[in-house]
Amino acid sequence: MSYLVLARKYRPKTFGQMVGQEHVVQALSNALEQQRLHHAYLFTGTRGVGKTTVSRILAKSLNCQGPDGQGGITATPCGVCQACTDIDAGRFVDYTELDAASNRGVDEVQSLLEQAVYKPVQGRFKVFMIDEVHMLTGHAFNAMLKTLEEPPEYLKFVLATTDPQKVPVTVLSRCLQFNLRPMAPQTVQEHLAGVLQSEAVEAEPQALRLLARAARGSMRDALSLTDQAIAFGGGALQEAAVRQMLGSVDRTHVFRLIEALAAGEGRAVVEISETLRLNGLSAAGALEEMTAVLQRMAVAQAVPGHGDAGDPDHAEVARLAALLPADETQLLYTMCLHGRAELGLAPDEYAALTMVLLRLLAFRPAAATAEAEKKTLNAARPSPEPAAQPVRAPQATAAPVTPPAVSRPAVVASSVVSAAVAPVAPPAPARPPGQVLPVVDPPARAGATAQSPRPQPAGDGAVVGVPVRQQPESRRDASAMPTSFVPSEEGDFWYATVQALVAAEAITALVRELALQSQLVARDEGHWLLRVERETLNQPASRERLQAALKAAGHEVAITIELGPVNDSPARRNAAAAAQRQKEAEDIIQNDPFVQQMMRDFGAKIVPGSIKPI
């Protein structure tokens, strides 16, 4: 006889044998006892939580005939009558299971619905169970809507899905929906203990705890992992063997990591990470275990005394919770949680694990606070240089000045301190000739200057200090920048040359901007002189590229660029032409008889900026 896996051998046969779904069991049991039966049920939940099992138990409850053949609808099927045994064996003619993952078309659904017109052959009700119903096509859903809404009195629909978001609302509104929840690890562990006791298999509680956590709420996964663990351990469940099978990280490594992080020992953190690499333990599992331990530590810090005293890790978690402040625990938890997403981005997951752990060490709030305090103390500490001593010297040598009623003590103090700290001013950087502008007092401050004298620097330069807010901006006189161009003979030639280069895309970006913004001042055989207003355009690379483009266009010349006012450049010509076109377009609109009539009769106005030339 072939071996029957635990997940099938211990599948619940009645509602009383189900674990972890009491809310569903209670609702269905009360409905069956009170004969308040819906015609369509929808069971949702993740894999392995009992959707198909509930469907089969419901079908047995509807068709159970009792041991004596006189039974009726019941919440506790007998399990011995022909209907119950046939449904458990999968050969009951009035119970049909359809796998929508492989039968998702409208033809398969139509074939199923054709059987709805026939009354049950053996049982009391026909039950159509459609598993993974969200896989059906839109046409298949539409084909079953009418029958699903008003089925015959002897027909019941049971739908099951792991993704209810993909089920149309037209189907959801016709069903009674039950959400089967993932099972708690403690519930899974208790059920596994009962199953292994029935199988006479020795198991350590810590091994069952690992299997329950690895199942992640699925009882079928837990039983399948238990089968694998029994085979791996040779008929017994030992914690070390189960941990090795699952690739789980020993909590001892996790406790050592957290203790090293609390103590700020970077060497210990790296060594433990290398130990995980050498043992082939999962990097993601290490962060997951750290997250679980840090969560329990945070709970212990917020609610002292909380937790299961019988848990072997309880004492160690409490000890670590006392080592770390609450804010650091929260920070470590967040970094471990988000660090799991970075493991797949790195070429080596162990290197990524090491970086996450070192980040936990680098961003400790206590270390950051200590570093900030250290910087603050260093900044507040007086400088040991002797130049900081004669601060009072300028006050003794300065001429006595009677300050006015309203003065600027901050500016004067800063000047005195600057003179004391740096008595010898550094030499000014060299500037190109013609670019040095004198610093003068604004005309608006002439009267105030006569009344409130300012401290003069120790030097022979007649430079008057001006407050920062009133310092005039260093820029050219607006009158020196012409707003329109003055046509010239050289400008016509230069405009035609630049337009040809732009049309041929021989110049682009900064080179094109240099050509458009420049004016051809003079030209002779082999040499052209250009003028630009902005020095930023006169770059050696742009100048060389423009010269190369001119050479490619047949102009074997060398160009020289000077700074000065420009009144005839291709850009100014283009702007003047655009302004002329705009003015002509506005004149056309304003002189149009219909527009004038609208303005005269209805007070219409032309929106400024709405007229664009074509």
Side-chain angles (χ1 to χ4, degrees):
M1 181 178 180
S2 61
Y3 174 72
L4 190 63
V5 298
L6 297 179
R8 294 181 58 188
K9 182 177 181 181
Y10 289 94
R11 181 191 291 269
K13 300 294 192 298
T14 63
F15 287 127
Q17 296 177 0
M18 291 196 65
V19 293
Q21 308 298 342
E22 289 78 8
H23 61 293
V24 177
V25 171
Q26 180 179 351
L28 293 178
S29 298
N30 292 339
L32 290 168
E33 292 174 358
Q34 299 173 10
Q35 304 292 311
R36 300 179 65 88
L37 302 175
H38 203 273
H39 60 269
Y41 297 88
L42 174 64
F43 299 118
T44 65
T46 59
R47 75 278 180 274
V49 293
K51 299 183 295 297
T52 305
T53 299
V54 172
S55 172
R56 293 180 180 178
I57 296 176
L58 180 60
K60 289 193 294 184
S61 299
L62 294 173
N63 293 287
C64 180
Q65 300 172 357
D68 54 357
Q70 304 296 324
I73 299 175
T74 177
T76 55
C78 63
V80 296
C81 65
Q82 184 178 1
C84 292
T85 54
D86 288 350
I87 291 176
D88 288 335
R91 57 174 180 266
F92 191 62
V93 68
D94 293 323
Y95 177 71
T96 304
E97 287 190 4
L98 178 68
D99 180 21
S102 55
N103 301 278
R104 58 193 306 265
V106 65
D107 294 335
E108 290 82 357
V109 173
Q110 187 65 33
S111 176
L112 178 66
L113 296 178
E114 288 177 355
Q115 305 175 20
V117 298
Y118 302 105
K119 289 187 175 183
V121 177
Q122 295 179 347
R124 195 176 295 110
F125 292 94
K126 272 182 174 290
V127 180
F128 289 166
M129 194 274 180
I130 304 178
D131 199 8
E132 299 298 338
V133 69
H134 67 274
M135 300 292 289
L136 291 178
T137 62
H139 294 294
F141 276 121
N142 293 334
M144 63 183 297
L145 284 180
K146 185 60 179 176
T147 307
L148 185 63
E149 182 179 8
E150 297 178 356
E153 59 180 6
Y154 51 80
L155 179 61
K156 303 294 180 184
F157 281 95
V158 179
L159 312 179
T161 178
T162 57
D163 193 356
Q165 304 296 330
K166 295 182 180 180
V167 180
V169 293
T170 52
V171 175
L172 295 177
S173 65
R174 290 166 167 82
C175 300
L176 203 62
Q177 184 173 347
F178 293 93
N179 183 25
L180 279 74
R181 306 165 186 165
M183 302 177 197
Q186 185 65 28
T187 303
V188 176
Q189 181 179 351
E190 292 175 358
H191 185 69
L192 290 181
V195 169
L196 293 177
Q197 185 177 1
S198 301
E199 292 288 317
V201 175
E202 296 182 359
E204 296 182 356
Q206 284 298 106
L208 296 182
R209 188 189 301 273
L210 290 174
L211 292 174
R213 282 206 306 261
R216 300 187 182 278
S218 172
M219 187 63 73
R220 182 172 61 230
D221 289 1
L223 292 171
S224 299
L225 289 174
T226 303
D227 259 328
Q228 182 180 354
I230 292 174
F232 186 84
L237 294 183
Q238 304 291 333
E239 179 186 1
V242 172
R243 191 179 296 279
Q244 182 180 0
M245 181 195 75
L246 296 175
S248 303
V249 179
D250 190 357
R251 282 284 175 93
T252 306
H253 298 301
V254 175
F255 294 150
R256 289 175 55 203
L257 272 175
I258 297 177
E259 187 173 3
L261 290 172
E265 300 177 357
R267 179 182 297 274
V269 171
V270 175
E271 291 177 353
I272 297 172
S273 177
E274 288 299 321
T275 302
L276 297 178
R277 180 199 297 269
L278 294 177
N279 293 335
L281 301 177
S282 171
L287 291 179
E288 183 178 356
E289 290 291 335
M290 285 189 66
T291 303
V293 174
L294 288 169
Q295 185 267 337
R296 295 181 59 185
M297 290 171 54
V299 173
Q301 291 170 349
V303 186
H306 183 275
D308 184 9
D311 187 356
D313 297 337
H314 179 74
E316 189 67 17
V317 170
R319 184 183 70 85
L320 293 176
L323 295 178
L324 273 177
D327 56 347
E328 291 191 28
T329 303
Q330 294 291 339
L331 179 63
L332 296 185
Y333 176 82
T334 302
M335 286 189 173
C336 288
L337 197 63
H338 292 282
R340 294 180 59 189
E342 301 179 9
L343 299 181
L345 302 178
D348 182 6
E349 67 172 3
Y350 293 101
L353 172 63
T354 304
M355 289 301 298
V356 172
L357 296 176
L358 293 179
R359 187 182 308 143
L360 300 178
L361 193 64
F363 286 92
R364 293 176 57 201
T369 304
E371 186 67 21
E373 292 177 354
K374 182 179 178 182
K375 293 181 179 178
T376 304
L377 292 176
N378 291 337
R381 186 177 302 162
S383 176
E385 297 181 2
Q389 300 297 329
V391 176
R392 301 183 181 86
Q395 297 179 356
T397 58
V401 176
T402 303
V406 180
S407 61
R408 301 180 183 273
V411 176
V412 175
S414 63
S415 303
V416 172
V417 173
S418 300
V421 176
V424 180
R431 298 176 180 268
Q435 299 299 318
V436 180
L437 299 178
V439 180
V440 297
D441 207 10
R445 297 288 299 174
T449 306
Q451 298 177 1
S452 55
R454 298 185 179 89
Q456 300 292 335
D460 55 356
V463 180
V464 180
V466 179
V468 175
R469 292 188 178 89
Q470 300 181 9
Q471 182 72 24
E473 184 180 359
S474 177
R475 59 182 182 184
R476 289 190 183 90
D477 188 4
S479 61
M481 299 178 64
T483 57
S484 62
F485 78 98
V486 180
S488 62
E489 183 178 352
E490 298 295 343
D492 297 337
F493 171 77
W494 180 242
Y495 179 77
T497 303
V498 173
Q499 290 296 103
L501 294 177
V502 172
E505 297 184 355
I507 54 177
T508 57
L510 292 178
V511 184
R512 178 181 60 189
E513 207 51 37
L514 171 62
L516 290 174
Q517 299 291 343
S518 60
Q519 177 182 353
L520 181 60
V521 179
R523 58 188 173 116
D524 55 13
E525 185 177 358
H527 185 268
W528 291 1
L529 177 61
L530 300 179
R531 181 183 297 164
V532 295
E533 290 181 339
R534 290 178 292 176
E535 188 178 0
T536 55
L537 294 174
N538 187 14
Q539 300 294 332
S542 302
R543 186 168 59 249
E544 293 175 1
R545 292 174 61 185
L546 177 59
Q547 186 171 323
L550 291 173
K551 182 178 180 181
H555 303 285
E556 294 281 349
V557 295
I559 61 174
T560 303
I561 300 178
E562 66 175 9
L563 296 179
V566 174
N567 51 24
D568 186 10
S569 64
R572 293 191 181 278
R573 288 182 174 241
N574 292 336
Q580 182 63 26
R581 290 195 302 270
Q582 179 68 26
K583 185 177 182 304
E584 293 175 355
E586 293 177 355
D587 292 342
I588 292 175
I589 295 299
Q590 292 176 356
N591 297 330
D592 185 86
F594 177 75
V595 175
Q596 293 181 353
Q597 181 182 0
M598 295 292 293
M599 296 174 65
R600 182 179 62 253
D601 297 344
F602 300 101
K605 294 182 180 180
I606 299 176
V607 179
S610 61
I611 301 176
K612 301 295 181 182
I614 299 177

